Amino acid sequence: MYLTKEDNEMLDGKFGAGTAFAMRLLTKLGQATEAERMITPSSSHIVSFGYQFYGFIAESCKILDGEMLDGVAKFKIPATTNPKYFNIDDKKLVHRFGIDDGTIEKLRASMTDKQFESLGAMPIYTCTPFFVYPTRKGESLAGAESVAIVMYNSIYGTRLNRETTPTAMAAAITGRTPEFGMHKPENRYARLQVNLEKDLKPETFSSADYSALGYFVGRIAGDRNVVFDDIPTDISIAQLKNLLAPLGVSGAVMLAHIVGVTPEAPTLEAALLGKSPEERITVGKKELEEVYRLLTSATEDKADLAAFGCPHAPLEEIIQIAKQLEGRKIRDDAFLLIATSEPIKLVADRMGVTELVEKSGGLIVTDMCPHIFLWKQKDPDEVTDIGRGINVVATDCTKCAHYLGAQGRKVKYGSTTECIDAVLR
Ligand code: F3S
């Protein structure tokens, strides 16, 4: 692989041990992927929930990040940040969950946010960085978070590979990333073509229906690029997020063309780069029902938590939920959380939407997932059980349902309306 003079100087330790470590990691990645050179990504998206909750992976990241940060004072390129484990600075949330000061301090000590901020990372803490940190077609990024990857590639035409926390960190430290995969135009054509059965009407789809469609397709696609041929071109950005996010959960899709929407797919032929697809599938009602069945493990009518905003909700989605909550009350023993980013919540505050949600007993939360705090933790003696008493979770998002199901939680997968109904008085 060709390395510039500065790449070699980084590798040789001229800029410190951490930078040399980071460059070694990226060089190995480049060699493994047969990249011919390094490029300069315009930013890197870093996943940093806080370490002790992720077992073996967390330990590896801790070691890698520790060594990689040796002698590093600042990131070399802009770095955006994924949600944290829990927003301990949200007083209403902390109060609603009855979290004591000792627990808050334990959580604070476990988090990496301040460390990343001191290196210059942008404290946006969202899995939908594209809503607050816009990019353009043809720009290259580095980073992790499957939602950001598939959305940046598919909706913005921005180029990004499916990476890991250590490689995203290494890119932020060195300002370099190997040029392979999605960075190269010749790898961006679709290999799996998806059509919808005639009786399936996407214009009537709920968020959960779109999410179920993405989830079903992801299972078949694996890591192949996809093209959706029958999605209405006036689909909203919220529904695009709901459709695309699950492709990186049930599969490892990085790019899904939507004909007439994706910048590189004005036509089906353009998405396929003039080739024939390797495979064509047609999705119907039966396939979507299969996803609903697969992701629903709860038999109870009621849920303890209704979790929305996985991935983080844009304003449109928050307003729709708030309207449904108007004049209704959530049970005292249940929670309703809508997760989003801080800038979007600020607008919701100004529009009186937050007040509507809070009047019903729900909360709009920022900087965090609406469900990761329910994931199993590495050492139950060291950490806290914030989600005690939450046994059944209702959600309209397949990513949330998938991960909670994998954690052994009971899940009700359904439409936004059904999820709200499950926590009402
Ligand atoms: Fe975002 Fe957490 Fe879901 S990071 S995509 S809200 S799992």
Side-chain angles (χ1 to χ4, degrees):
M1 180 167 58
Y2 170 74
L3 296 179
T4 64
K5 183 167 169 276
E6 195 182 356
D7 291 341
N8 276 313
E9 285 173 349
M10 284 195 260
L11 203 52
D12 292 343
K14 183 175 174 189
F15 301 95
T19 303
F21 186 104
M23 200 59 188
R24 266 203 311 281
L25 179 67
L26 294 174
T27 310
K28 296 265 183 223
L29 177 64
Q31 286 162 350
T33 54
E34 297 181 354
E36 288 175 6
R37 60 174 191 153
M38 295 280 180
I39 53 172
T40 302
S42 58
S43 66
S44 185
H45 186 70
I46 295 174
V47 175
S48 60
F49 292 114
Y51 288 131
Q52 84 266 44
F53 304 101
Y54 293 87
F56 167 72
I57 296 170
E59 285 306 312
S60 313
C61 290
K62 205 172 186 176
I63 294 162
L64 283 168
D65 288 355
E67 288 191 50
M68 254 198 291
L69 292 175
D70 185 2
V72 175
K74 286 283 173 208
F75 289 140
K76 213 164 172 185
I77 54 172
T80 49
T81 42
N82 223 44
K84 300 182 236 181
Y85 172 75
F86 198 80
N87 189 350
I88 47 176
D89 297 316
D90 180 339
K91 291 197 170 49
K92 284 180 186 163
L93 177 71
V94 165
H95 177 74
R96 183 77 174 79
F97 276 77
I99 304 172
D100 60 49
D101 290 351
T103 303
I104 290 178
E105 284 324 305
K106 272 191 205 169
L107 287 170
R108 202 181 297 284
S110 78
M111 290 183 180
T112 48
D113 52 342
K114 295 297 167 228
Q115 181 190 19
F116 288 140
E117 283 176 33
S118 72
L119 292 162
M122 284 178 251
I124 63 171
Y125 302 116
T126 179
C127 46
T128 55
F130 39 84
F131 288 148
V132 290
Y133 191 71
T135 56
R136 62 170 176 78
K137 184 182 170 201
E139 193 174 338
S140 276
L141 304 185
E145 175 50 66
S146 59
V147 176
I149 292 158
V150 73
M151 282 292 283
Y152 272 130
N153 274 312
S154 310
I155 305 306
Y156 301 87
T158 304
R159 300 172 184 175
L160 175 62
N161 283 315
R162 201 173 153 94
E163 290 193 32
T164 61
T165 289
T167 58
M169 286 277 294
I173 291 166
T174 60
R176 304 290 274 164
T177 196
E179 188 184 42
F180 71 98
M182 288 299 110
H183 293 299
K184 305 184 87 167
E186 62 269 30
N187 295 329
R188 294 178 65 84
Y189 67 93
R191 292 160 61 197
L192 172 69
Q193 180 179 331
V194 181
N195 288 95
L196 303 182
E197 270 179 11
K198 293 265 178 298
D199 62 343
L200 213 53
K201 302 279 177 243
E203 50 284 350
T204 65
F205 273 15
S206 66
S207 301
D209 292 335
Y210 264 121
S211 194
L213 173 60
Y215 192 85
F216 182 84
V217 172
R219 294 175 84 202
I220 294 170
D223 64 357
R224 293 178 295 174
N225 296 342
V226 173
V227 56
F228 286 95
D229 194 19
D230 302 321
I231 300 297
T233 51
D234 62 354
I235 180 174
S236 70
I237 193 80
Q239 295 296 40
L240 282 168
K241 173 206 71 153
N242 295 327
L243 168 65
L244 296 177
L247 292 162
V249 177
S250 58
V253 176
M254 292 178 272
L255 169 56
H257 297 272
I258 296 173
V259 175
V261 174
T262 299
E264 292 151 283
T267 61
L268 177 63
E269 292 67 35
L272 292 163
L273 215 67
K275 303 172 198 266
S276 292
E278 278 174 18
E279 188 181 353
R280 286 190 182 92
I281 58 165
T282 303
V283 181
K285 217 169 157 212
K286 182 166 72 69
E287 286 77 15
L288 298 196
E289 284 170 359
E290 185 184 319
V291 173
Y292 276 76
R293 262 197 313 279
L294 185 75
L295 294 177
T296 299
S297 50
T299 48
E300 294 84 344
D301 291 333
K302 290 181 174 181
D304 305 305
L305 166 69
F308 301 110
C310 172
H312 278 182
L315 196 56
E316 162 198 343
E317 219 165 60
I318 301 173
I319 292 172
Q320 279 170 9
I321 298 169
K323 277 187 184 158
Q324 292 200 47
L325 287 171
E326 199 168 358
R328 305 168 91 187
K329 286 278 179 208
I330 291 154
R331 299 192 323 270
D332 291 339
D333 64 346
F335 302 89
L336 182 145
L337 300 180
I338 309 168
T340 190
S341 62
E342 189 71 33
I344 289 177
K345 177 165 180 290
L346 181 64
V347 183
D349 291 351
R350 289 177 175 176
M351 290 174 73
V353 176
T354 307
E355 200 184 333
L356 266 185
V357 174
E358 290 182 359
K359 264 190 184 159
S360 76
L363 284 174
I364 300 177
V365 294
T366 63
D367 295 5
M368 62 179 272
C369 275
H371 64 90
I372 276 200
F373 62 92
L374 296 174
W375 289 25
K376 280 187 197 127
Q377 299 165 356
K378 187 184 126 201
D379 182 351
D381 294 332
E382 268 180 35
V383 290
T384 60
D385 184 9
I386 296 173
R388 63 187 165 275
I390 297 179
N391 297 312
V392 181
V393 180
T395 183
D396 59 357
C397 166
T398 50
K399 183 167 180 179
C400 175
H402 174 100
Y403 285 123
L404 286 182
Q407 297 279 315
R409 296 274 179 176
K410 287 191 194 172
V411 178
K412 282 175 79 71
Y413 182 68
S415 68
T416 312
T417 308
E418 287 166 340
C419 295
I420 291 173
D421 287 348
V423 291
L424 287 180
R425 281 183 191 165

